[in-house]
Amino acid sequence: MRAGATIDYRLRLHGVALRWQTEITAWEPPDRFVDEQRRGPYRKWMHEHTFTRRGSECEMRDIVRYAVPGGWLVNLLVVQRDVRRIFEYRAGKLKDLFA
């Protein structure tokens, strides 16, 4: 991984096949990295991952800024719930792996 690297995804969202490409715009191990959508379902997607040592543990945080086609109503009715589910799923998996 490095700044400038691109990652291509293929996924299904509500039964619709999507292609999504993100670019790593900041790569600063072990503290943080940022990925931003270059092509995909959002008008804007910026996801910052931060890692902070807490003694023998590591705290991981996500900051996500996004905008969707259709504006606030589409976000409220559909997208916000989907984004929340994605991060809840990941949090559960991380707990399973590192608990």
Side-chain angles (χ1 to χ4, degrees):
M1 200 56 65
R2 62 175 174 72
T6 58
I7 304 166
D8 292 301
Y9 309 86
R10 288 182 182 207
L11 55 123
R12 286 196 164 295
L13 187 59
H14 300 285
V16 176
L18 297 172
R19 290 181 181 222
W20 190 353
Q21 182 182 73
T22 58
E23 178 183 353
I24 304 300
T25 57
W27 181 252
E28 301 166 11
D31 301 315
R32 70 187 279 269
F33 71 96
V34 177
D35 62 270
E36 296 186 45
Q37 176 185 282
R38 292 298 176 241
R39 187 175 61 241
Y42 297 92
R43 284 192 354 222
K44 172 186 176 180
W45 176 272
M46 191 282 303
H47 180 190
E48 179 178 10
H49 313 250
T50 62
F51 306 90
T52 306
R53 288 185 186 215
R54 303 268 186 239
S56 63
E57 297 181 350
C58 178
E59 177 182 88
M60 184 181 83
R61 290 185 168 232
D62 296 287
I63 300 169
V64 178
R65 293 181 184 94
Y66 68 91
V68 298
W72 68 270
L73 186 59
V74 170
N75 183 55
L76 182 65
L77 295 175
V78 180
V79 178
Q80 182 176 300
R81 182 178 49 230
D82 288 343
V83 170
R84 186 178 306 116
R85 284 183 188 157
I86 289 166
F87 286 97
E88 287 172 353
Y89 175 82
R90 191 178 73 171
K93 285 297 184 183
L94 288 170
K95 282 184 181 180
D96 291 346
L97 288 170
F98 295 107

